[in-house]
């Protein structure tokens, strides 16, 4: 029977990241996901923004997370050749009220932002830069912010992993703990089996339903986005983030999000969310809603924890059963660096930062 160092359940943003980090450390990896492929549909765009929320708070360990993601993207873009995986146009955060302007200016003082990452733009500069933006009190401009074309990014990443020797299986599977040692048998739907020294669950919002991880305080928040097409070519390419975001793809497409739905029954899209998202677009770009039409509306779920940071580490009883989840709204930014921490822990025995470790929930 084929033996792997790790079987990873989930080939989304976390699963591909940890698969890559283990492959980089010469480990034999099995990546399993019944819902995706190497040409799968996916979200058309997502934002990488290191200064988030109303206070433009510096994201956790961003000086390590952002370069790790950038390095990976450079490697994937070389591999992808002509298929674009990001739109590297920066992100503007217009201060659409005075309080936001105050907060944003404070963020520039409060945090030790690396040189060239972020700057303040006066109102007149904003209007000269993009006259379509809503009246504002100035803006933060994140030169390091960028838009990821998530469908391309994920499909290319899976192709890249396969090319690198990762065994990618797009089918259902289950794991069973061995009684005699700490290993696992992986059983595929069509009857074949493999063995793995470690199992890593990186199944996004399905993770809380894995019986072994039911004890974790994982919270699921549904979110919807709308993919619009403008009637004419749009004059700007940068991303915009102000109480919502608007991302560009191609000459006319605009991806606007998102809702935060803490109570939900399913992943259907709703008219209520559409109206809310149109409202967000109107706040960022007044009048634009009348010049665009809806191409698509999508729903997904973010997983979060009480400290709003990812969870990585080992199961308290089955030490070779691991997890990588709960990246909230910053999955892309966290993915590579946090993946490298888990890989370093498994392969080299490095300690996991307390704030990320599953151990923070032991005894809950
Ligand atoms: C509306 C919305 C907008 C967002 N915007 C942004 C943004 O702008 N920027 C950003 O960085 N993040 C954004 N996010 C968050 C981002 O999508 C998540 O942080 C990220 O996808 C989490 O990665 P993951 O690998 O944990 O989950 P996913 O990427 O969802 O991957 C999980 C994978 O596990 C698979 N799976 C499920 N069950 C099983 C099983 N039993 N066996 C094997 N595989 C399984 C699934 O098919 C899936 O492919 C947004 C999320 C939402 C909902």
């Amino acid at each position: 029977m084929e033996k792997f160092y790790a079987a990873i359940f989930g080939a989304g943003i976390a699963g591909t990241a940890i698969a890559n980090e283990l492959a980089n450390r010469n480990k034999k990896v099995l990546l399993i996901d019944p819902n995706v492929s190497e040409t799968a549909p996916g979200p058309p765009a997502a934002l990488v923004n290191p200064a988030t929320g109303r206070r433009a708070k510096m994201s956790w360990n961003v000086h390590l997370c952002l370069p790790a993601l950038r390095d990976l993207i450079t490697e994937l873009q070389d591999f992808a050749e002509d298929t674009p995986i990001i739109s590297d146009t920066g992100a503007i955060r217009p201060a659409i009220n005075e309080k936001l302007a105050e907060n944003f200016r404070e963020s520039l003082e409060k945090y030790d932002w690396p040189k060239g990452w972020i700057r303040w733009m006066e109102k007149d500069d904003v209007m000269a830069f993009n006259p379509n933006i809503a009246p504002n009190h100035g803006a933060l401009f994140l030169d390091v912010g960028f838009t990821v074309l998530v469908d391309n990014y994920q499909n290319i990443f899976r192709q890249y992993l396969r090319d690198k020797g990762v065994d990618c299986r797009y089918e259902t599977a289950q794991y069973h703990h061995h009684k005699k040692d700490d290993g696992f048998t992986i059983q595929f739907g069509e009857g074949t089996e493999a063995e793995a020294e470690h199992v890593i669950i990186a199944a996004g919002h399905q993770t809380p339903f894995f019986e072994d991880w039911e004890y974790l305080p994982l919270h699921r928040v549904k979110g919807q986005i709308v993919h619009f097409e403008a009637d004419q070519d749009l004059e700007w390419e940068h991303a915009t983030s102000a109480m919502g975001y608007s991302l560009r793809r191609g000459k006319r497409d605009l991806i606007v999000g998102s809702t935060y739905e803490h109570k939900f029954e399913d992943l259907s899209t709703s008219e209520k969310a559409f109206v809310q998202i149109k409202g967000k677009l109107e706040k960022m770009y007044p009048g634009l809603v009348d010049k665009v039409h809806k191409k698509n509306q999508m729903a997904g779920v973010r997983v979060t924890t009480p400290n709003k940071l990812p969870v990585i580490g080992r199961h308290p009883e089955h030490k070779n059963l691991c997890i990588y989840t709960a990246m909230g709204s910053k999955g892309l930014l966290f993915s590579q660096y946090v993946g490298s921490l888990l890989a370093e822990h498994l392969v080299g025995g490095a300690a996991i930062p307390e704030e990320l470790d599953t151990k923070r929930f032991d005894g809950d």
Side-chain angles (χ1 to χ4, degrees):
M1 206 188 310
E2 203 167 358
K3 288 189 176 164
F4 293 87
Y5 175 79
I8 299 165
F9 284 71
I13 287 176
T16 47
I18 182 63
N20 189 40
E21 292 296 335
L22 290 173
N24 284 346
R25 289 162 179 79
N26 298 317
K27 296 298 178 191
K28 197 169 168 198
V29 177
L30 173 62
L31 185 61
I32 302 160
D33 196 319
N35 308 313
V36 298
S37 68
E38 289 166 20
T39 54
L47 180 61
V48 175
N49 165 24
T52 55
R54 285 165 198 238
R55 296 187 178 276
K57 188 177 169 202
M58 182 187 266
S59 175
W60 178 87
N61 270 345
V62 71
H63 58 294
L64 298 169
C65 291
L66 193 64
L69 177 62
R70 277 278 177 187
D71 287 351
L72 188 261
I73 283 170
T74 304
E75 209 164 320
L76 290 186
Q77 195 60 76
D78 279 352
F79 177 80
E81 295 179 350
D82 295 337
T83 307
I85 56 176
I86 67 165
S87 177
D88 202 1
T89 50
I92 195 163
R93 301 212 57 201
I96 52 179
N97 59 47
E98 263 182 63
K99 183 69 191 152
L100 276 182
E102 197 184 305
N103 289 347
F104 288 177
R105 282 177 182 280
E106 250 177 54
S107 162
L108 287 171
E109 297 296 320
K110 184 170 171 187
Y111 302 107
D112 185 17
W113 291 103
K115 198 162 178 273
W117 278 30
I118 182 168
R119 61 193 151 93
W120 179 251
M121 285 173 93
E122 293 299 342
K123 186 164 69 175
D124 291 347
D125 298 332
V126 177
M127 293 325 275
F129 176 68
N130 184 351
N132 301 285
I133 293 179
N136 59 75
H137 299 258
L140 275 183
F141 193 85
L142 288 125
D143 293 281
V144 287
F146 59 96
T147 299
V148 175
L149 312 179
V150 185
D151 47 357
N152 289 355
Y153 168 83
Q154 286 278 259
N155 287 325
I156 295 287
F157 203 168
R158 293 179 201 118
Q159 291 166 30
Y160 167 87
L161 289 171
R162 183 169 42 77
D163 193 66
K164 208 164 169 172
V166 172
D167 193 343
C168 301
R169 304 274 294 259
Y170 305 115
E171 55 187 302
T172 52
Q174 299 209 316
Y175 65 87
H176 303 283
H177 308 276
H178 289 173
K179 290 232 166 67
K180 56 180 176 15
D181 56 31
D182 289 316
F184 301 85
T185 299
I186 311 301
Q187 214 164 34
F188 291 97
E190 29 77 352
T192 56
E193 288 186 347
E195 288 203 348
E197 206 178 313
H198 302 85
V199 159
I200 302 171
I201 305 301
H205 69 94
Q206 294 299 323
T207 305
F209 302 113
F210 280 72
E211 211 182 319
D212 285 314
W213 295 110
E214 270 173 358
Y215 78 97
L216 290 178
L218 299 176
H219 179 54
R220 299 163 82 240
V221 185
K222 179 176 170 182
Q224 300 187 45
I225 57 172
V226 177
H227 188 167
F228 292 101
E229 185 175 31
D231 303 336
Q232 291 185 343
D233 290 357
L234 294 168
E235 292 155 10
W236 67 96
E237 292 184 338
H238 59 79
T240 311
S241 165
M243 322 282 221
Y245 60 72
S246 138
L247 309 175
R248 296 296 329 285
R249 182 167 180 158
K251 288 185 166 35
R252 295 191 175 188
D253 289 17
L254 202 63
I255 295 89
V256 185
S258 61
T259 60
Y260 286 80
E261 300 165 48
H262 292 266
K263 286 193 179 144
F264 61 94
E265 299 201 332
D266 55 38
L267 283 190
S268 55
T269 57
S270 65
E271 182 60 23
K272 186 177 167 204
F274 179 60
V275 171
Q276 200 183 333
I277 290 169
K278 271 202 309 190
K280 288 178 188 285
L281 180 59
E282 180 64 20
K283 272 207 177 116
M284 288 182 271
Y285 289 98
L288 187 59
V289 281
D290 300 328
K291 298 175 190 149
V292 296
H293 58 270
K294 181 167 99 173
K295 268 177 98 171
N296 198 6
Q297 185 172 345
M298 302 171 88
V301 180
R302 316 158 181 95
V303 179
T304 66
T305 55
N307 72 355
K308 304 281 182 285
L309 287 175
V311 188
I312 54 172
R314 298 174 186 266
H315 191 274
E317 283 161 25
H318 305 290
K319 72 180 175 69
N320 285 348
L321 175 62
C322 304
I323 193 169
Y324 182 4
T325 193
M327 295 195 289
S329 299
K330 300 193 195 102
L332 289 158
L333 192 53
F334 288 146
S335 56
Q336 308 310 307
Y337 176 62
V338 174
S340 75
L341 292 175
L342 179 56
E344 259 325 287
H345 171 71
L346 292 176
V347 177
I352 294 175
E354 268 174 39
E355 65 271 31
L356 303 186
D357 203 331
T358 48
K359 283 187 190 153
R360 71 193 197 263
F361 304 116
D362 288 0
D364 274 12

